Amino acid sequence: MRKLLMAAALAVGLGAAGLGEARTVRWAASGDPNTMDPHSQNLGTVTMVLQQIYDPLIQRTQELGLAPGLATRWEQVEPNRWRFWLREGVKFHEGQAFTADDAVFSITRAQQPTSNYGIFVDTIDRAVQVEPFIVDIITRVPDPILPNKIASLMIMSRSWSEQHNSTRPQNTRNREEMHTTRNTNGTGAFRLSVREPDVRTVLVRNTDWWGWAEPGSREGNITEIIYRPIASDATRIAALLSNEVDFVLDPPLQDLNRLRAAPGIRVTEGPEVRTIFLAMDTHRDRLLYSDVTDRNPLKDLRVRQALYQAIDIQAIHRTTMRGQSVVTGTFFPPQVNGYSREEDVRLPYDQARARALLAEAGYPNGFGITLDCPNNRYINDEQICQAIVAMWARIGVRAQLNAMPLGPFFQKIQREDTSIYLLGWGVPTLDALYSFQSLLRSRDGGQGNGIWNYGRYSNPRMDALIDIMVNQSGDARNNAIREALRIYREDVPHIPLHHQMIPWAMRSNFTIPHMANNQPYFRWARMN
Amino acid sequence: MFAFIISRILQALPVLLAVALISFAMFAYVGDPVAIMLGQDYTQAQRDALVADLGLDKPFWVQFGTFIGNAVQGEFGLSYRLSRPVADLIAERAPATLELAFTAAILALAVGVPMGVYTGLYRHSWLSRFFLTFSLIGVSLPTFLIGILLILVFAVSLGWLPSFGRGDTVKLGWWTTGFLTWTGVKALVLPAITLGLFQLTLIMRLVRAEMMEVLRTDYIKFARARGLPNRAVHFGHALKNTMVPVITIVGLQLGAIIAFAIVTETVFQWPGMGLLFIQSVGAADIPVMSAYLLLIALVFVTINLIVDLLYYAVDPRLRIGRGKGGH
């Protein structure tokens, strides 16, 4: 133990030498990363730790734009070929020099079947080394948004991965624990020092990081990051109030007012790239959960509009969300490429009109339906559904709320065992295609097509436009997105509700830029 | 004696098998591990491959048979959530839970028995009334509420004790202990009180009732008539004879403490087996859940056996072989 303490003291002393003193930030969130493997699990709880350790070729700026990372510049030299010029003189934490070979290796690794990062490499045919510091990525179709995807792909060392038998992303099917489950070797601003799953994860500053001179990180003064997951909401907040942690990523909404009033605590808020909406079965001839037995009312546009117009979204915004939401008429937020303010218009809240539409459609007395809803996945998810059920009741729609934990909920909707359900959708690529393709494309077996379209919405014109988004760039693509958004507005495949707002809570001597992808970037953080 | 132990072990086997079967059957309803493991984006082929790899496409009885076959060899497979061997995960978490459970149990005994004796002897003193009122709180308040209240008072308002975690630990072989560091001991206080409070009040009320019962019996009157000092009467004769039911309850409660540390561990983010279990439920991590439930069943069975053996030590009537009598 004494040895350990001395080693720790020594490490702190060394780390602080460059900065004058140690600046440790202790932070907490509800979940722990499942793994330290950078291509295994595409989950926010994993990347919130790993993106401190690993660099991608292209980085995100504080506004989620693109900035040079391990690549200093990039260009679409041919329609199917992107070229990346790499940064020279970069070293991995264990000393290996970074070259084009590592970039090729990492892209190939993310293409393996055990990778959970397929969405970011779906158009890539292969990556090839052109020169020691130039890499070409050859795509099967022209991919204008490849840089957006590459920005989510972390770069590993080939020699280190080979040495530790970790050339494929870790997966349970490997039947044994892999080196990458608990070890890392990145090029990033911090390196892993202690990893105790579900207990604590300690990172220390990589003083050799190439990016410390860049604007933004130049001001960052954190030398050590201690992460501890705290699952219980009340305990997490108590730890912040009692000064045992400096930063809480996911404070519960009901505690925000108290936190704002607490001395020495600051709450920052910003929009998240996640939209909450209702999706429904527009495919079956009869609904699974409804008292209408001879037809599917949701196939009728007027019924969808009626359900939409019966929702008093401002009331949900004010009361259920306590002001912490951005009301929307579309299904991805302004940070996403392709967003259009003109198409972000809701059908007005109008109960008389909703009742009239229902009568026109042949349901003057409404109908019964079951609303499936998760109760622990999105902010106030169950309460939102309760409010909607009450609002529908006023136009005669007798909705039964079926709220359940996310495990059974996702299992149920993925079996398409649902008539109408609440879903929240984030956009990791920050491009509209991701949402269109997963949520609205007909399911035809094509990779990524309609994989989250559990209501089987299908519109040939929408499919054609999505194919344009996949294959074309420039104006043709932008126009396709625009038209698809208009169809979304007119055809009501979903009932959009709002974009989530995310609050972060911290001690007032700590500052960190609020990010719409809900990821903390400690390179930009300061402790005073 | 030996035959007795063997027969108890044989009786335990069907119990364990039943627990395994029930828990295994329940897990069909906790959610789809495949969906959780694959995340947002996957193809049908990827999904089918994973289902086949995990053996989830086989009939229920085949899956159950494989599970039992492996479990007998101590092989519980790999956690879906953490991709690490389940046996390792449980071995890593066991020390935290066991240290917490034993601290709570000792706290409950060390405070509960004297309080019970006192309230039994001095029924009308104001201190007894206070103890009894206080014990109502322990019996009636749910564990998570007690935990949150303690955190609010001792961590947030007073700042004396940590609100979560286990503090620094020292490694002794594969065992990690929090007893040897100051932060570790400090971190143990609130969770141990939370976990032990119910047991403490239970033991106190039990001892009190038993004491009052025993003090009315003839042999106590004879002891007093012979002029034995109060201390000998109260502790040598009365207390010892209240111990059989107390041991039963304490034994069963120790199992309960270990099994139901789940709530306390969640409130205090105590890195033990209960927290592991809760996190596994969230991820439909079936291998961890079934291993944990089996382990808990094993703990109960073992403790029951030890309790039965302790009766022999405490109650002389059993040793003479007159069968089960007395209380």
Side-chain angles (χ1 to χ4, degrees), chain A residues 34 41 113 116 170 172-173 175 177 182 198-199 228-232 234-235 238 242 244 411 414 434 452, chain B residues 31 35 37-38 40-42 46 50 53 78 81 83-84 93 148 151 155 162-164 266-267 269 271 279:
Chain A
N34 297 347
Q41 293 286 311
N116 200 215
Q170 160 232 311
T172 341
R173 70 184 72 172
R175 300 282 178 228
E177 187 182 345
R182 277 189 289 173
D198 290 335
V199 180
R228 287 173 186 273
I230 306 178
S232 153
T235 313
S242 61
E244 288 169 84
Q411 187 176 27
Q414 287 177 353
Y434 181 78
W452 280 72
Chain B
M37 287 161 78
L38 285 172
Q40 257 189 3
D41 312 287
Y42 56 85
Q46 272 176 316
L50 188 56
D53 265 345
L78 224 54
R81 183 173 68 98
S83 295
R84 301 185 48 210
R93 310 303 164 94
I148 294 288
I151 289 177
S163 57
F164 74 100
T266 312
V267 170
Q269 192 67 28
Q279 285 161 333

Side-chain angles (χ1 to χ4, degrees), chain A residues 81-396:
Chain A
R81 182 184 287 263
W82 278 88
R83 177 159 293 178
F84 294 82
W85 285 265
L86 304 184
R87 196 178 291 278
E88 299 185 26
V90 174
K91 279 201 160 39
F92 286 93
H93 296 153
E94 292 187 11
Q96 300 88 342
F98 162 71
T99 67
D101 192 36
D102 299 312
V104 171
F105 167 75
S106 302
I107 292 163
T108 316
R109 190 175 191 268
Q111 290 178 299
Q112 305 274 342
T114 53
S115 157
N116 200 215
Y117 282 63
I119 183 77
F120 302 115
V121 292
D122 57 349
T123 56
I124 296 179
D125 179 47
R126 64 186 193 278
V128 290
Q129 171 174 345
V130 180
E131 283 177 34
F133 287 96
I134 298 180
V135 169
D136 276 6
I137 295 179
I138 295 146
T139 55
R140 284 192 300 273
V141 290
D143 187 353
I145 57 155
L146 186 78
N148 273 320
K149 301 178 185 167
I150 287 298
S152 300
L153 200 73
M154 297 180 241
I155 301 296
M156 299 174 75
S157 156
R158 178 198 286 269
S159 58
W160 180 80
S161 306
E162 283 173 352
Q163 185 189 338
H164 293 289
N165 290 328
S166 305
T167 52
R168 298 164 131 254
Q170 160 232 311
N171 194 301
T172 341
R173 70 184 72 172
N174 294 338
R175 300 282 178 228
E176 57 183 23
E177 187 182 345
M178 280 179 55
H179 192 69
T180 48
T181 311
R182 277 189 289 173
N183 298 281
T184 66
N185 181 28
T187 56
F190 296 89
R191 59 193 162 74
L192 185 64
S193 123
V194 178
R195 168 69 182 154
E196 292 174 30
D198 290 335
V199 180
R200 65 183 178 141
T201 305
V202 181
L203 310 182
V204 292
R205 187 183 180 97
N206 170 18
T207 45
D208 298 330
W209 186 49
W210 55 268
W212 285 123
E214 309 276 311
S217 22
R218 209 166 3 198
E219 288 78 35
N221 70 352
I222 303 301
T223 58
E224 188 188 29
I225 306 166
I226 301 175
Y227 174 71
R228 287 173 186 273
I230 306 178
S232 153
D233 283 347
T235 313
R236 200 158 63 249
I237 293 309
L240 181 70
L241 290 171
S242 61
N243 199 8
E244 288 169 84
V245 299
D246 304 303
F247 171 46
V248 169
L249 186 69
D250 47 0
L253 279 194
Q254 69 267 19
D255 290 325
L256 289 183
N257 282 333
R258 166 147 191 243
L259 286 174
R260 284 197 197 94
I265 305 280
R266 186 174 61 241
V267 177
T268 63
E269 269 140 16
E272 186 187 0
V273 187
R274 184 176 295 282
T275 308
I276 309 294
F277 54 84
L278 301 178
M280 52 208 142
D281 181 353
T282 56
H283 169 73
R284 288 190 179 89
D285 289 327
R286 278 178 291 279
L287 288 178
L288 294 177
Y289 300 97
S290 168
D291 56 8
V292 181
T293 48
D294 55 340
R295 58 198 154 145
N296 175 353
L298 297 178
K299 274 191 163 178
D300 190 325
L301 173 64
R302 290 167 297 191
V303 173
R304 299 203 294 271
Q305 284 171 336
L307 293 179
Y308 191 158
Q309 294 197 265
I311 295 175
D312 182 358
I313 193 68
Q314 292 302 335
I316 293 179
H317 169 73
R318 254 189 343 264
T319 314
T320 315
M321 302 306 289
R322 301 172 207 224
Q324 299 301 308
S325 67
V326 181
V327 168
T328 184
T330 191
F331 69 124
F332 52 82
Q335 295 90 340
V336 174
N337 177 38
Y339 174 81
S340 154
R341 171 124 344 254
E342 294 82 68
E343 303 298 340
D344 186 354
V345 183
R346 286 185 69 84
L347 292 177
Y349 164 57
D350 186 343
Q351 294 209 331
R353 172 91 185 117
R355 266 190 296 267
L357 281 166
L358 274 188
E360 243 178 77
Y363 306 97
N365 302 316
F367 59 91
I369 195 165
T370 300
L371 170 62
D372 290 316
C373 188
N375 62 15
N376 61 352
R377 176 63 188 90
Y378 312 110
I379 299 176
N380 288 347
D381 38 17
E382 186 178 357
Q383 291 91 320
I384 296 171
C385 290
Q386 281 166 349
I388 289 173
V389 165
M391 289 166 186
W392 282 348
R394 278 185 251 149
I395 61 163

Side-chain angles (χ1 to χ4, degrees), chain B residues 41-109:
Chain B
D41 312 287
Y42 56 85
T43 61
Q44 192 59 40
Q46 272 176 316
R47 189 187 160 85
D48 295 344
L50 188 56
V51 165
D53 265 345
L54 297 176
L56 296 176
D57 51 345
K58 302 209 181 77
F60 175 81
W61 290 107
V62 177
Q63 287 188 46
F64 182 63
T66 320
F67 170 71
I68 292 294
N70 289 336
V72 169
Q73 301 162 33
E75 169 61 54
F76 290 97
L78 224 54
S79 153
Y80 295 164
R81 183 173 68 98
L82 295 167
S83 295
R84 301 185 48 210
V86 173
D88 288 8
L89 284 174
I90 289 188
E92 256 170 39
R93 310 303 164 94
T97 297
L98 293 179
E99 284 191 355
L100 175 61
F102 280 104
T103 312
I106 286 169
L107 180 84
L109 273 178

Side-chain angles (χ1 to χ4, degrees), chain A residues 18-87:
Chain A
L19 282 156
E21 61 181 299
R23 309 270 188 175
T24 300
V25 55
R26 303 156 300 168
W27 70 294
S30 54
D32 200 52
N34 297 347
T35 175
M36 291 285 110
D37 190 303
H39 303 135
S40 174
Q41 293 286 311
N42 180 18
L43 293 171
T45 41
V46 174
T47 47
M48 74 187 182
V49 170
L50 286 184
Q51 49 96 350
Q52 325 290 344
I53 300 173
Y54 286 97
D55 286 323
L57 291 179
I58 300 174
Q59 307 223 75
R60 293 272 173 207
T61 63
Q62 297 188 10
E63 293 75 37
L64 295 182
L66 301 179
L70 288 177
T72 50
R73 66 190 178 97
W74 52 93
E75 204 182 297
Q76 195 168 10
V77 287
E78 287 166 29
N80 286 14
R81 182 184 287 263
W82 278 88
R83 177 159 293 178
F84 294 82
W85 285 265
L86 304 184
R87 196 178 291 278

